[in-house]
Amino acid sequence: MTTATAPARIPALPTGGGNGAAAEMAPDAWPEVTARDDFTNLLVLLRYARAGCWAFALYNQVATREQVVEALTALLAPLPVYQWTYSPHDPYPYTYLERMPEAARSQRAVVFLFDFERAGEEIWKALDYNRELFSQHPHGLVFWVTPPGRGLAARQAPHFWAQRSGVFDFTVDKPLPVEQVRPLVGWDISIDNLDETQRQLRLYQGLLEDLGGQLDAPPRFLADLHLKVARLACYVDQIPLARQHAQAALDIANHLVDVKLRADSIKALGDVHVKLAEYQEARARYHEALTIFTRIGSPQASSVQSDLAGLRR
């Protein structure tokens, strides 16, 4: 791996406090994981591996993963941190380089890589085939995988796996309660920035998967997550995913007899039809949603009217 020229100056770790000092610098993260040796060891590796490295970070709860990422990002400043998320439209991890300004590609940076386990075998093998490409840059790469994903990496990308700098464990025995998960979910989605859009999509999709096994998960909260995933997925052209989650939200709305949620879900399905150029079906969905929004006096009625007017052109 090449050494970066004029590397950024990174503040030293706090002294005298051990792992607790690192945890105190990241008070918003879950103490159970930020106080671990693995948290401090990964932080040290990413700060001081000047020639670059790659590591695997294990997680079994998405909420915990996101909190650890946030804490590490804060503690690594001013070292730049980038994120890459697998999607069918961006399947190969070395494209993280395209997210960087060209001049920054030879400088030190940290890159968190997510959702590999949604990829096929060919994506894992691409790690093996392109490991020399990864090693040409002084970047600290962290591949976030579940414990089963660790096995996939070892089997399907054995040469890449053999060159890892370490495996760091952030799995937890108990999931965060819903009350602690709620603050991770914004009121609305953000589509102004691709990285932020992908962050929200992987977070909300992952939260749904985690909460799916919790019998006490509030259905209305789950429906809100489904709707957010549907809208985000539609925006980034993952249309089958968008349809799946819009329908899941509608199913919950019908079960709860929640008319506003029903209208929102129908509107999301209409957006899917538009993406598929199924304009007759889209008009039917929009008319159905508009009828409900108008009846309940929702300001969203005017937005749906605009969408309908656009379809008539």
Side-chain angles (χ1 to χ4, degrees):
M1 296 187 181
T2 56
T3 302
T5 57
R9 181 178 179 276
I10 305 173
L13 280 168
T15 58
N19 297 349
E24 288 172 9
M25 293 181 67
D28 293 332
W30 202 15
E32 181 180 337
V33 288
T34 55
R36 291 182 184 178
D37 287 342
D38 278 12
F39 181 87
T40 301
N41 292 340
L42 179 56
L43 177 61
V44 170
L45 173 68
L46 296 174
R47 281 188 170 189
Y48 298 113
R50 296 186 177 277
C53 64
W54 58 69
F56 286 82
L58 304 182
Y59 74 97
N60 60 352
Q61 291 291 317
V62 167
T64 305
R65 179 194 71 188
E66 294 298 309
Q67 289 184 324
V68 173
V69 167
E70 184 177 352
L72 287 170
T73 300
L75 291 170
L76 287 165
L79 194 63
V81 175
Y82 299 88
Q83 299 186 5
W84 177 90
T85 304
Y86 166 82
S87 80
H89 305 300
D90 186 17
Y92 294 103
Y94 50 77
T95 59
Y96 81 82
L97 292 164
E98 298 173 7
R99 306 286 178 89
M100 297 181 172
E102 187 171 354
R105 295 174 190 174
S106 62
Q107 304 296 316
R108 293 197 61 213
V110 169
V111 185
F112 294 119
L113 301 101
F114 302 94
D115 280 4
F116 256 74
E117 287 154 276
R118 302 191 192 281
E121 182 179 349
E122 70 279 4
I123 307 304
W124 288 97
K125 291 189 178 302
L127 292 178
D128 260 8
Y129 300 150
N130 295 281
R131 62 188 184 279
E132 296 304 322
L133 175 62
F134 286 111
S135 67
Q136 291 172 6
H137 302 278
H139 304 150
L141 309 180
V142 181
F143 295 84
W144 287 89
V145 296
T146 64
R150 172 183 182 167
L152 282 173
R155 291 192 303 272
Q156 299 186 2
H159 300 96
F160 189 88
W161 174 257
Q163 292 181 236
R164 70 196 182 281
S165 298
V167 179
F168 302 87
D169 188 354
F170 299 105
T171 59
V172 294
D173 294 331
K174 295 181 180 179
L176 285 175
V178 173
E179 291 72 22
Q180 289 182 259
V181 171
R182 286 184 188 275
L184 298 176
V185 181
W187 284 104
D188 202 0
I189 65 170
S190 173
I191 57 175
D192 296 331
N193 175 278
L194 179 60
D195 287 341
E196 176 59 16
T197 299
Q198 290 182 331
R199 184 196 71 82
Q200 291 175 92
L201 181 56
R202 72 168 182 264
L203 171 61
Y204 299 155
Q205 195 175 357
L207 288 178
L208 278 168
E209 291 166 353
D210 289 347
L211 292 170
Q214 296 186 32
L215 298 178
D216 59 344
R220 188 61 179 78
F221 180 58
L222 296 178
D224 182 51
L225 288 173
H226 280 299
L227 271 177
K228 285 180 166 60
V229 170
R231 293 168 61 198
L232 290 162
C234 199
Y235 179 74
V236 297
D237 291 326
Q238 294 189 41
I239 305 307
L241 184 67
R243 186 198 295 271
Q244 171 193 338
H245 285 276
Q247 184 61 53
L250 181 58
D251 292 343
I252 295 175
N254 290 334
H255 178 72
L256 296 178
V257 195
D258 186 322
V259 292
K260 174 64 165 57
L261 176 60
R262 176 176 168 77
D264 287 334
S265 305
I266 292 169
K267 169 62 168 60
L269 285 168
D271 295 339
V272 169
H273 288 304
V274 170
K275 284 283 189 176
L276 294 170
E278 298 171 350
Y279 299 120
Q280 182 175 348
E281 293 86 348
R283 280 190 286 271
R285 292 290 191 178
Y286 285 166
H287 276 299
E288 188 177 359
L290 178 60
T291 299
I292 299 173
F293 285 137
T294 301
R295 187 174 74 244
I296 64 177
S298 170
Q300 289 174 260
S302 60
S303 173
V304 179
Q305 284 178 324
S306 296
D307 290 335
L308 273 169
L311 288 176
R312 295 190 187 103
R313 295 193 191 102

